Amino acid sequence: MKKTVLFVFLFVLSAQSSFAARCATEAPRGSRWKECTNARSNAVVDQFLLNDSGDLFAYISRTRLLCSVTNAVSDMKVSGHPRDNAVLYFVRQGDLYIAHNVRSNGRNCPEMSKKELLRNVKKYNVVSNTATTVVNTALSRGGEFLAWDNNRVVYHDRLVQDYLLNRNYASSGKPFNSYVAFTIDYSGYVTKVEGQASYNTLPGSKETKKRYSSIQQFKREFNLD
């Protein structure tokens, strides 16, 4: 049993070292890798790599295939929710896109379908908490806030200044644990967004008793980690 555990540990350590080494090596076209991250465990590909020229690649380790996904990418986040139809979110030329999981025989590069989610994105987050149906949230520079489940937009608001994901969602004894996110509008009022959909949408509850200068002030007042 000890030998098996040791073997598994060494195998994982070797894979991590190899991954880190590859991310430090020269990328295609003479550029360098800017970011490397492991894909979700149920994705077709194993890793995503972004070079400093903005070229995005997917890597399949068992066949050592390095597959081009797209270009002009400035940021990426791997989907954190196992029921999410998407495997990757990325910002391309200022707009937010998703890449979907596709079938692959492992011998050829998969044709990853890509879809634009939100133009002129200001910030976005992936959600890994499986207690909520929300898999992704995003805010545009024009103040449009959206939250998605694995199929559609389930919450939509406008004139939003900023937002915060609730890391304590569904955690017993934590404040506001039925809300998955908090938004603040340009007047300083906070809206609490429910974490479970009702009639295919998420209800929101606007708190108008107090104005906040920022979402961080709201976070500090209630000790939201």
Side-chain angles (χ1 to χ4, degrees):
M1 180 66 181
K2 290 183 178 180
K3 289 183 179 180
T4 301
V5 173
L6 179 60
F7 174 78
V8 171
F9 172 76
L10 291 175
F11 177 80
V12 171
L13 183 62
S14 175
Q16 290 176 340
S17 299
S18 176
F19 182 43
R22 184 168 58 254
C23 198
T25 61
E26 189 172 310
R29 304 176 189 172
S31 59
R32 303 285 295 183
W33 293 122
K34 173 185 175 182
E35 186 177 353
C36 306
T37 184
N38 288 317
R40 201 175 61 222
S41 60
N42 61 349
V44 169
V45 301
D46 299 297
Q47 292 148 1
F48 291 101
L49 302 96
L50 178 64
N51 69 17
D52 56 12
S53 299
D55 301 315
L56 177 63
F57 296 86
Y59 183 73
I60 302 175
S61 59
R62 64 183 179 278
T63 52
R64 298 184 179 180
L65 279 176
L66 186 63
C67 308
S68 177
V69 177
T70 190
N71 61 356
V73 174
S74 57
D75 186 73
M76 66 174 179
K77 288 182 173 66
V78 170
S79 169
H81 204 296
R83 292 192 296 274
D84 192 358
N85 290 328
V87 291
L88 184 73
Y89 296 84
F90 60 91
V91 178
R92 183 178 187 271
Q93 296 179 332
D95 302 328
L96 180 63
Y97 287 79
I98 58 173
H100 288 97
N101 222 346
V102 294
R103 293 183 179 181
S104 172
N105 58 17
R107 296 187 297 272
N108 301 306
C109 286
E111 291 291 333
M112 300 188 69
S113 61
K114 299 176 285 292
K115 178 183 176 182
E116 182 185 282
L117 280 183
L118 184 65
R119 292 189 174 183
N120 201 20
V121 66
K122 179 180 179 180
K123 64 183 286 189
Y124 70 106
N125 289 92
V126 296
V127 180
S128 58
N129 189 333
T130 58
T132 177
T133 54
V134 174
V135 299
N136 184 51
T137 55
L139 175 66
S140 76
R141 296 187 184 279
E144 186 175 17
F145 174 79
L146 298 169
W148 291 262
D149 68 7
N150 63 328
N151 290 310
R152 64 185 70 84
V153 173
V154 291
Y155 184 82
H156 184 202
D157 202 0
R158 298 184 184 276
L159 301 178
V160 173
Q161 177 190 156
D162 199 1
Y163 77 90
L164 174 73
L165 281 183
N166 186 8
R167 304 298 181 184
N168 297 321
Y169 175 75
S171 297
S172 179
K174 297 292 185 178
F176 307 125
N177 62 6
S178 66
Y179 300 98
V180 71
F182 311 99
T183 67
I184 185 170
D185 63 23
Y186 288 107
S187 297
Y189 294 119
V190 169
T191 295
K192 304 184 288 290
V193 182
E194 293 278 358
Q196 289 290 335
S198 173
Y199 301 105
N200 294 325
T201 62
L202 295 175
S205 174
K206 187 178 286 289
E207 178 57 66
T208 58
K209 295 179 182 178
K210 180 177 179 178
R211 292 185 181 186
Y212 294 88
S213 61
S214 68
I215 199 69
Q216 297 302 321
Q217 182 191 4
F218 174 79
K219 176 182 178 180
R220 289 192 297 270
E221 180 170 317
F222 295 99
N223 296 316
L224 300 173
D225 297 327

